[in-house]
């Protein structure tokens, strides 16, 4: 700064004393703290240069300040007069800000002549009133929950700018005293009463003033708000507790409106919640408005309302959904009965059967037993009956007394009476049942009265008895006769006929049948005069009310319907070829009988087969016994006769006593007899016989499969498979047994050499048995004990010494301790013994272990000692010799 001033002075000297320069500067000036904007700080002037060049607009100005500040600026008063004033952009605070500011004022004219001077501004201290800090300076809202006990409310605090150490006390007081509040000198606000939001004010306005020791003060406003809490129960505003409503109101109709208010919501819109706590299905309440509506049909005449028409409800009002305050109110609805049900009956159609002989005055029907009105209260549940109407009811029926619904018979109902028959013995009445109260509902009742006929007249046949005749030759279904019964009672019921007794024969339980509707008697089969000539029947007629019987006699008319029967019916006879004519052949006789013909009425004839008429009967008519006679001799020599065996068909006719005229119109019966006659030739004669024809019967049988017998092939197949499996298993077992007990040997190995070698040891003597088998050996190994090379089969484990004659070493003697027994040295001309199957398996395992370098192992999986190996190798109960074959 000093360098700049010296530079400017130098410029002024060079200008010859006529340079531009500031007047009244440098200088020192004072300004009070907290001065408002445009407060004058210092006035100065500019002396123009000799050229009178004016100051450049915007100059002079403060180009720098120490400390740096924007609290001052230069204002123009005239072209040469200027003033330093406060800007208000920064608060001049003696207590917290700088006390001295050095302002560098720089001026410049149009010819670029400049001057620079320093103005020192000193900020002076001013006594400031206390200040409220933060929101308290603008006014503060305080909240006190209603019901809070009197006591501390708030601590008011102010700040004195002059007292930076806050050692000077400030005093506080309420400008507007209140009986509900007080304030201590140190600024503590207390409540003096318990506030009730609903009973008193909801807010209080307090002015608090603070003063310092010199009497300067400041004030602020406190707005104390009383916080309303939910401490009041809602109150019902309507006082009605009992309501009367008619039944059958439509759902949704409002029948009551429950209103309430909440004291806690004074001055605000109250939101109360209504509900019905009583379990019911008739009413519902609007949760927000409290309107009670009909929820479903209310029927005074049904259910529990018929006995008790009062519905009690408890209404609950709450000021919030959960928790909060609530209140309850009991209300009662009385349901009134209306005439909404018409008089009705369990049925509206009645059919009454009245006997035709019923007496006058008989009570036929009481409608009160069937009709009713469901309305619960009088007069809605009362009804009566109108006067009956209908054809034919005036002279026969009456409602007595009128309107009572009691129908009484006053006329005649005889079923056979022509006037009643004209009416069909059926009568119709129409009567109405109606309410006695408005709107007078009505219903029609239809009464049908039917006359019930009674059995006044018996069922009788038109004849006390019947007699019929029928030929024994009449075929089945032949009409024998007809019976008829009648009944004068009306209506005419159907009569049924039946045979109650008689009509039985030896073969049939009844040979007669009667049509149950018409009474016509017919034959079931032919009648036989010879068996039963007369039948006595008992015919019964029955209708729905009665029955009657009559005797019917049926006479069987005899006819010739029986054939003659002869004994024997067939016979074989052998006669010599030279039998004399007239001879009774073998004394043969026919004895015939006929059930319906005389013994003298028979006539005998021989039909086809009686060639050359060699045979005849004597007598041939008029007797029931006849003999067979040779009528002509046999002539084979001349060639007249050619056959030797005769088959005669004999006809026996029972018309012998009839003349030709009668015979033509009479029934004739014929019986038959078959005779076989063989003619025996002389011994020298070659008898040509005709062989008796034979009949061959061929029976064709087909095995037809039926789908319903599906189980037959299934069972057969399953059984066959089981038997086949059993057979295969038995064959396998048999083969195993044969292979085990009788092993087969090839021709090459028929002779097996077994050599017994004694091995001497200090402890025991062991015999080794080996068997040579025809096996393919595909590997070699070295025995770890003897060092000999042997061959083995990699699949079966079988092995043999590679050269048993040269490579098998002699067994060495055991050590003195007897660690290993000696092995026999194979001798010349012997075969190396082989182990059994189990021993082969063991040896195979040992060979694999030895090849792996592990050596044989004992049972506990440890490498075996020579002693263990010997014991394993010599495992055998007793050695055996196999002699050489």
């Amino acid at each position: 700064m000093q360098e700049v001033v010296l530079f400017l002075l130098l410029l002024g000297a060079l200008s010859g004393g006529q340079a531009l320069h500031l007047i009244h500067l440098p200088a020192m000036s004072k300004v009070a703290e907290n001065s408002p904007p445009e407060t004058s700080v210092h006035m100065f002037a500019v002396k123009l240069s000799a050229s009178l060049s004016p100051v450049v607009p915007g100059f002079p100005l403060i180009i720098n300040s120490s400390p740096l500040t924007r609290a001052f600026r230069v204002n123009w008063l005239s072209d040469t007069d200027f003033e330093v004033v406060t800007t208000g952009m920064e608060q001049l605070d003696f207590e917290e800000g700088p006390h001295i500011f050095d302002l560098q004022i720089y001026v410049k004219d149009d010819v670029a002549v400049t001057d620079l001077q320093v103005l020192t501004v000193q900020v002076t201290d001013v006594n400031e009133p206390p200040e409220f800090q933060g929101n308290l300076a603008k006014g503060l809202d305080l909240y006190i929950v209603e019901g809070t006990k009197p006591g501390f409310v708030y601590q008011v605090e102010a700040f004195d700018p002059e007292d930076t150490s806050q050692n000077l006390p400030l005093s506080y007081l309420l400008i507007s005293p209140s009986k509900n509040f007080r304030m201590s000198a140190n600024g503590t606000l207390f409540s003096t009463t318990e506030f009730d939001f609903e009973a008193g004010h909801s807010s209080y306005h307090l002015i608090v003033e603070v003063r310092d020791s010199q009497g300067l003060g400041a004030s602020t406003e406190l707005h104390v708000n009383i916080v309303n809490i939910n401490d009041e129960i809602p109150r019902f505003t309507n006082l009605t507790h009992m309501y009367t409503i008619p039944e059958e109101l439509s759902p949704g109709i409002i029948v009551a409106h429950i209103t309430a208010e909440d004291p806690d919501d004074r001055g605000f819109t109250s939101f109360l919640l209504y509900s019905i706590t009583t379990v019911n299905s008739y009413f519902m309440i609007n949760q927000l408005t409290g309107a009670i509506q009909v929820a479903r049909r209310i029927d005074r005449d049904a259910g529990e309302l018929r006995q008790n028409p009062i519905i009690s409800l408890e209404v609950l009002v709450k000021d919030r959904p959960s928790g909060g305050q609530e209140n309850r109110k009991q209300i009662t609805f009385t349901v009134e009965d209306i005439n909404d049900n018409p008089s009705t009956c369990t049925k509206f159609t009645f059919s009454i059967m009245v006997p035709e002989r019923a007496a006058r005055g008989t009570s036929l029907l009481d409608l009160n037993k069937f009709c009713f009105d469901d309305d619960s209260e009088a007069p809605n549940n009362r009804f009566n009956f109108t006067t009956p109407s209908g054809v034919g009811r005036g002279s026969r029926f009456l409602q007595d007394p009128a309107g009572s619904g009691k129908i009484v018979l006053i006329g005649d109902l005889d079923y056979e009476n022509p006037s009643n028959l004209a009416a069909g013995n059926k009568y119709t009445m129409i009567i109405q049942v109606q309410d006695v109260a408005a709107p007078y509902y009505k219903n029609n009742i239809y009464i049908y009265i039917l006359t019930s006929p009674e059995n006044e007249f018996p069922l009788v046949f038109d004849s006390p008895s019947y007699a019929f005749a029928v030929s024994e030759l009449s075929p089945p279904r032949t009409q024998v006769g007809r019976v008829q019964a009648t009944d004068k009672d009306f209506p005419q019921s159907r009569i049924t006929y039946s045979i109650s007794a008689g009509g039985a024969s030896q073969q049939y339980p009844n040979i007669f049948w009667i049509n149950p509707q018409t009474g016509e008697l017919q034959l079931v089969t032919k009648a036989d005069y010879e068996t039963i000539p007369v039948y006595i029947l008992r015919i019964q007629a029955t209708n729905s009310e009665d029955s009657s019987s009559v005797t019917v006699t049926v006479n069987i008319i005899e006819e010739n319907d029986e054939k003659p029967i002869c004994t024997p019916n067939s016979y074989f006879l052998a006669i010599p070829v030279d039998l004399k004519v007239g001879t009774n052949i073998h004394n043969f006789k026919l004895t015939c009988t006929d059930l319906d013909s005389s013994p003298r009425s028979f006539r005998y004839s021989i039909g086809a087969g009686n060639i050359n008429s060699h045979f005849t009967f004597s007598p041939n008519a008029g007797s029931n016994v006849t003999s067979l006679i040779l009528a002509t001799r046999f002539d084979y020599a001349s060639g007249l006769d050619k056959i030797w065996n005769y088959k005669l068909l004999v006809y026996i006719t029972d018309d012998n006593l009839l003349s030709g005229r009668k015979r033509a119109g009479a029934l004739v019966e014929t019986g038959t007899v078959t005779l076989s006659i063989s003619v025996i030739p002389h011994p020298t004669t070659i008898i040509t016989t005709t062989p008796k024809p034979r009949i061959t019967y061929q029976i064709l049988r087909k095995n037809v499969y039926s789908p319903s017998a599906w189980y037959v092939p299934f069972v057969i197949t399953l059984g066959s498979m089981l038997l086949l499996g059993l057979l295969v298993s038995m064959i396998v077992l048999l083969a195993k047994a044969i292979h085990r007990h009788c092993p087969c040997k090839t021709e090459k190995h028929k002779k097996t050499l077994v050599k017994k070698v004694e091995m001497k040891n200090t402890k025991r003597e062991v015999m080794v048995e080996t068997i040579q088998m025809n096996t393919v050996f595909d590997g070699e190994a070295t025995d770890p004990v003897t060092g000999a090379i042997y061959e083995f089969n990699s699949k079966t484990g079988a092995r043999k010494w590679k050269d048993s004659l040269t490579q098998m070493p002699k067994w060495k003697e055991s050590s003195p301790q007897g660690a290993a027994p000696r092995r026999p040295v194979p001798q010349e001309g012997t075969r190396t013994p082989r182990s059994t199957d189990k021993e082969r398996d063991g040896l195979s395992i040992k060979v694999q272990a030895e090849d792996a370098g592990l050596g044989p192992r004992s049972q506990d999986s440890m490498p075996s000692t020579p002693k263990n190996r010997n014991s394993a190798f010599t495992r055998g109960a007793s050695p055996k010799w196999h002699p050489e074959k």
Side-chain angles (χ1 to χ4, degrees):
M1 179 64 69
Q2 293 178 356
E3 290 78 359
V4 174
V5 172
L6 292 176
F7 176 73
L8 293 175
L9 292 176
L10 180 59
L11 290 176
L14 292 176
S15 61
Q18 299 297 323
L20 177 71
H21 65 277
L22 295 171
I23 303 175
H24 307 301
L25 289 177
M28 179 177 290
S29 181
K30 295 181 179 181
V31 64
E33 65 175 331
N34 299 325
S35 296
E38 303 298 328
T39 300
S40 177
V41 177
H42 182 72
M43 298 182 67
F44 64 94
V46 176
K47 184 177 181 181
L48 300 176
S49 63
S51 62
L52 298 178
S53 299
V55 176
V56 176
F59 290 90
L61 55 81
I62 300 173
I63 62 173
N64 197 4
S65 65
S66 178
L68 188 63
T69 182
R70 293 185 300 170
F72 306 97
R73 71 166 180 266
V74 178
N75 287 345
W76 277 51
L77 298 178
S78 64
D79 293 338
T80 58
D81 296 323
F82 302 93
E83 181 182 24
V84 177
V85 297
T86 59
T87 63
M89 298 177 64
E90 290 184 6
Q91 186 72 24
L92 298 176
D93 190 351
F94 180 83
E95 289 77 18
E96 295 182 359
H99 296 171
I100 297 175
F101 295 91
D102 290 333
L103 306 179
Q104 294 180 1
I105 300 174
Y106 175 70
V107 64
K108 180 180 179 182
D109 59 9
D110 289 341
V111 293
V113 178
T114 63
D115 190 13
L116 178 66
Q117 296 296 331
V118 177
L119 174 64
T120 301
V121 179
Q122 182 178 2
V123 179
T124 60
D125 186 21
V126 178
N127 185 20
E128 299 174 278
E131 297 177 358
F132 293 101
Q133 300 295 318
N135 293 331
L136 187 59
K138 301 177 183 179
L140 187 65
D141 288 329
L142 302 179
Y143 297 91
I144 301 176
V145 178
E146 66 170 326
T148 304
K149 300 297 181 180
F152 175 80
V153 176
Y154 185 73
Q155 178 65 49
V156 180
E157 293 183 355
F159 171 75
D160 189 356
E162 308 298 331
D163 185 14
T164 56
S165 61
Q166 297 184 358
N167 293 326
L168 299 177
L170 299 176
S171 60
Y172 300 86
L173 70 157
L174 292 175
I175 300 301
S176 56
S178 174
K179 63 179 181 179
N180 299 314
F181 300 94
R182 67 179 180 87
M183 178 168 284
S184 64
N186 61 357
T188 303
L189 180 64
F190 295 93
S191 62
T192 59
T193 183
E194 183 177 336
F195 298 99
D196 186 358
F197 183 87
E198 291 77 23
H201 297 286
S202 60
S203 64
Y204 297 89
H205 181 70
L206 303 179
I207 299 177
V208 179
E209 185 179 45
V210 60
R211 296 178 182 177
D212 59 8
S213 58
Q214 297 182 6
L216 293 179
S219 62
T220 187
E221 295 181 355
L222 295 179
H223 297 278
V224 181
N225 300 292
I226 307 302
V227 179
N228 184 20
I229 62 174
N230 190 18
D231 59 343
E232 299 289 338
I233 64 173
R235 300 186 183 95
F236 290 99
T237 57
N238 62 327
L239 303 179
T240 305
H241 293 273
M242 300 184 67
Y243 300 88
T244 301
I245 60 173
E247 64 171 330
E248 300 296 344
L249 291 176
S250 301
I253 293 181
I254 298 176
V255 295
H257 202 98
I258 306 300
T259 58
E261 62 180 8
D262 188 358
D264 291 322
D265 290 334
R266 187 178 55 141
F268 301 95
T269 303
S270 176
F271 292 97
L272 298 177
L273 303 176
Y274 299 88
S275 62
I276 297 176
T277 61
T278 308
V279 177
N280 85 102
S281 60
Y282 296 107
F283 301 101
M284 61 182 178
I285 190 170
N286 189 303
Q287 188 178 15
L288 299 177
T289 64
I292 298 179
Q293 298 173 302
V294 176
R296 71 176 184 92
R297 178 189 177 194
I298 302 176
D299 189 358
R300 170 70 174 81
D301 310 313
E304 58 185 11
L305 292 180
R306 188 174 185 88
Q307 304 298 328
N308 182 16
I310 298 176
I311 303 174
S312 297
L313 303 177
E314 183 184 69
V315 178
L316 172 67
V317 59
K318 300 190 298 184
D319 55 9
R320 61 185 62 180
S322 60
Q325 301 293 331
E326 63 181 33
N327 198 0
R328 299 170 187 265
K329 179 181 181 179
Q330 297 289 336
I331 61 174
T332 301
F333 289 95
T334 301
V335 181
E336 289 185 339
D337 182 42
I338 63 174
N339 188 18
D340 59 330
N341 293 310
S343 299
T344 185
C345 303
T346 55
K347 58 180 182 178
F348 293 96
T349 302
F350 295 88
S351 293
I352 305 173
M353 297 292 294
V354 182
E356 61 176 320
R357 290 184 289 184
R360 290 179 173 85
T362 302
S363 178
L364 303 181
L365 178 64
D366 187 359
L367 294 175
N368 291 284
K369 297 179 180 179
F370 304 94
C371 298
F372 57 91
D373 193 327
D374 280 335
D375 289 314
S376 57
E377 296 178 356
N380 297 326
N381 59 357
R382 294 180 181 177
F383 55 89
N384 57 19
F385 299 92
T386 62
T387 302
S389 62
V391 179
R393 59 91 196 160
S395 60
R396 297 180 180 88
F397 310 102
L398 180 67
Q399 182 180 198
D400 186 27
S404 63
K406 297 178 180 180
I407 309 301
V408 179
L409 176 65
I410 61 174
D412 181 19
L413 296 180
D414 184 14
Y415 203 94
E416 290 76 26
N417 190 319
S419 63
N420 294 337
L421 286 174
N425 287 294
K426 298 179 181 179
Y427 312 96
T428 303
M429 288 193 303
I430 301 175
I431 191 171
Q432 289 183 331
V433 56
Q434 64 179 5
D435 290 344
V436 299
Y440 308 104
Y441 294 113
K442 294 180 181 180
N443 277 315
N444 290 334
I445 301 174
Y446 299 90
I447 303 173
Y448 302 95
I449 299 177
L450 308 176
T451 302
S452 174
E454 295 184 348
N455 189 16
E456 299 179 281
F457 302 97
L459 179 64
V460 295
F461 285 90
D462 56 2
S463 177
S465 63
Y466 296 89
F468 304 113
V470 64
S471 172
E472 65 174 331
L473 298 180
S474 298
R477 303 191 68 176
T478 298
Q479 181 177 351
V480 178
R482 182 177 180 181
V483 299
Q484 184 174 5
T486 58
D487 190 350
K488 294 182 181 181
D489 286 317
F490 282 92
Q492 294 288 335
S493 60
R494 186 176 66 178
I495 300 175
T496 303
Y497 300 92
S498 63
I499 302 174
S500 60
S505 67
Q506 294 180 356
Q507 297 180 350
Y508 298 96
N510 203 322
I511 68 169
F512 300 99
W513 173 80
I514 190 169
N515 191 313
Q517 283 79 32
T518 64
E520 180 181 318
L521 188 64
Q522 298 178 2
L523 284 174
V524 174
T525 183
K526 286 185 178 182
D528 189 5
Y529 175 85
E530 289 73 24
T531 303
I532 301 175
V534 178
Y535 290 89
I536 306 298
L537 306 178
R538 192 68 179 170
I539 305 298
Q540 185 178 14
T542 305
N543 58 13
S544 59
E545 300 172 346
D546 204 354
S547 64
S548 180
S549 298
V550 69
T551 300
V552 177
T553 302
V554 180
N555 298 306
I556 306 302
I557 301 174
E558 183 182 11
E559 300 286 353
N560 185 21
D561 61 335
E562 295 290 339
K563 294 180 180 181
I565 299 176
C566 302
T567 57
N569 183 258
S570 62
Y571 203 76
F572 175 77
L573 299 170
I575 61 174
V577 70
D578 54 356
L579 185 66
K580 294 182 179 181
V581 176
T583 302
N584 181 195
I585 300 175
H586 289 291
N587 295 323
F588 178 79
K589 294 182 178 181
L590 282 179
T591 302
C592 301
T593 59
D594 193 338
L595 296 178
D596 55 6
S597 298
S598 170
R600 297 184 299 108
S601 64
F602 297 122
R603 178 167 55 88
Y604 306 93
S605 61
I606 300 176
N610 190 12
I611 301 174
N612 296 328
S613 302
H614 289 297
F615 307 99
T616 187
F617 282 94
S618 178
N620 62 358
S623 176
N624 65 328
V625 179
T626 185
S627 300
L628 180 62
I629 303 297
L630 181 64
T632 60
R633 67 181 183 85
F634 298 103
D635 187 2
Y636 291 98
S638 63
L640 180 63
D641 293 319
K642 296 181 180 180
I643 63 173
W644 298 87
N645 295 301
Y646 295 87
K647 186 171 183 180
L648 305 182
L649 185 62
V650 182
Y651 297 99
I652 302 94
T653 308
D654 57 3
D655 62 349
N656 181 49
L657 300 179
L658 301 176
S659 63
R661 179 177 299 176
K662 292 182 180 181
R663 188 178 300 170
L667 180 63
V668 179
E669 293 292 338
T670 301
T672 60
V673 174
T674 302
L675 297 179
S676 296
I677 300 175
S678 177
V679 180
I680 301 174
H682 295 293
T684 57
T685 305
I686 298 176
I687 302 174
T688 304
T689 61
T690 303
K692 190 176 183 178
R694 297 181 180 179
I695 300 175
T696 303
Y697 296 93
Q698 182 179 2
I699 301 175
L700 178 62
R701 296 182 180 179
K702 294 183 179 180
N703 185 13
V704 181
Y705 170 72
S706 175
S708 61
W710 60 269
Y711 56 89
V712 175
F714 173 75
V715 171
I716 293 175
T717 304
L718 181 61
S720 302
M721 294 177 65
L722 293 176
L723 290 176
L724 181 60
L726 179 62
L727 181 60
V728 171
S729 63
M730 292 179 64
I731 293 174
V732 172
L733 292 176
L734 181 60
K736 289 184 178 179
I738 293 174
H739 182 269
R740 183 168 57 251
H741 296 288
C742 301
C744 299
K745 301 178 181 179
T746 61
E747 186 67 24
K748 182 179 180 180
H749 298 89
K750 283 185 178 180
K751 294 183 179 180
T752 304
L753 180 62
V754 179
K755 186 75 175 179
K756 179 178 178 182
V757 182
E758 293 184 358
M759 299 178 66
K760 295 183 179 180
N761 196 296
T762 58
K763 292 186 178 181
R764 59 188 297 182
E765 186 179 61
V766 179
M767 299 300 298
V768 179
E769 177 186 6
T770 59
I771 300 174
Q772 182 176 358
M773 299 181 65
N774 186 16
T775 308
V776 177
F777 298 93
D778 54 359
E780 292 183 1
T782 303
D783 183 54
V785 178
T786 63
I789 299 175
Y790 59 88
E791 297 177 345
F792 63 89
N793 188 294
S794 60
K795 294 184 178 179
T796 64
R799 54 187 172 175
K800 71 174 182 177
W801 300 114
K802 184 174 183 181
D803 189 356
S804 59
L805 298 178
T806 59
Q807 295 190 20
M808 283 293 294
K810 296 184 178 180
W811 295 102
K812 297 180 180 180
E813 295 293 334
S814 62
S815 63
Q817 292 80 9
R822 293 180 301 171
R823 295 181 179 235
V825 179
Q827 298 180 0
E828 188 176 356
T830 62
R831 294 180 181 273
T832 304
R834 299 194 179 220
S835 62
T836 61
D837 294 342
K838 293 183 180 180
E839 291 172 347
R840 286 200 309 270
D841 295 341
L843 289 174
S844 176
I845 296 173
K846 290 180 181 180
V847 168
Q848 294 174 5
E850 291 165 4
D851 291 343
L854 299 176
R857 292 180 179 269
S858 61
Q859 293 180 355
D860 53 356
S861 301
M862 296 297 294
S864 62
T865 62
K867 181 179 180 179
N868 295 334
R869 290 195 296 269
N870 292 336
S871 62
F873 185 77
T874 60
R875 184 186 307 157
S878 62
K880 296 183 181 180
W881 285 103
H882 294 268
E884 184 177 358
K885 296 182 180 180

